[in-house]
Amino acid sequence: MHMDTYREQANLLRLMGHPMRLQILDLLRSDDECVCHLSAVLDKPQPYVSQQLAVLRNAGLIVDRKAGTHVYYGLANGRTGQQVRSVLRGPAGDTEQGHCPGHQQIAGCCCPRCSAESCARDA
Ligand SMILES: [Zn+2]
């Protein structure tokens, strides 16, 4: 019983023991984001970001949600999601900072949220 819990946590930490994946998870802690946005924030090519997202999704750490032609990624709900949240301590998910909590607008990003005139949550 306990051994299973430790195995599960070890697996989780192994997956999170990667700076890029950790940053992705930290970004998703505040809000769902699409691949093009994550690619702009991380300054990495989309195929690379997609690959990391696939690893995290296959492991059940994140889930994808289709909205029109875009796919948004967010942290999984339930126990796995809670464990991920409890481990994350990065600055990207700190919603106390920045004028637009949840979504960091990136100049030149082509995602629908960044090309929008204003942040919906500011209203
Ligand atoms: Zn964007």
Side-chain angles (χ1 to χ4, degrees), residues 9-96:
Q9 290 216 340
N11 190 44
L12 207 64
L13 291 170
R14 184 179 59 80
L15 283 160
M16 293 173 75
H18 182 289
M20 197 56 65
R21 291 205 281 264
L22 207 50
Q23 196 179 349
I24 290 171
L25 290 167
D26 201 28
L27 286 161
L28 298 181
R29 191 152 65 104
S30 52
D31 208 354
D32 294 1
E33 300 292 358
C34 59
V35 175
C36 53
H37 184 79
L38 291 170
S39 167
V41 176
L42 303 167
D43 196 23
K44 293 282 174 195
Q46 277 195 29
Y48 174 81
V49 177
S50 295
Q51 201 185 336
Q52 299 304 333
L53 286 168
V55 171
L56 295 171
R57 192 190 52 201
N58 290 339
L61 272 66
I62 61 170
V63 290
D64 56 1
R65 180 168 60 82
K66 281 195 174 68
T69 55
H70 285 266
V71 180
Y72 290 91
Y73 293 87
L75 290 184
N77 294 316
R79 214 156 70 89
T80 306
Q82 271 177 12
Q83 287 183 330
V84 171
R85 280 169 211 273
S86 72
V87 172
L88 288 171
R89 290 285 182 274
D94 188 355
T95 52
E96 299 295 313

Side-chain angles (χ1 to χ4, degrees), residues 37 103 109 111 114:
H37 184 79
H103 185 85
C109 177
C111 88
C114 286

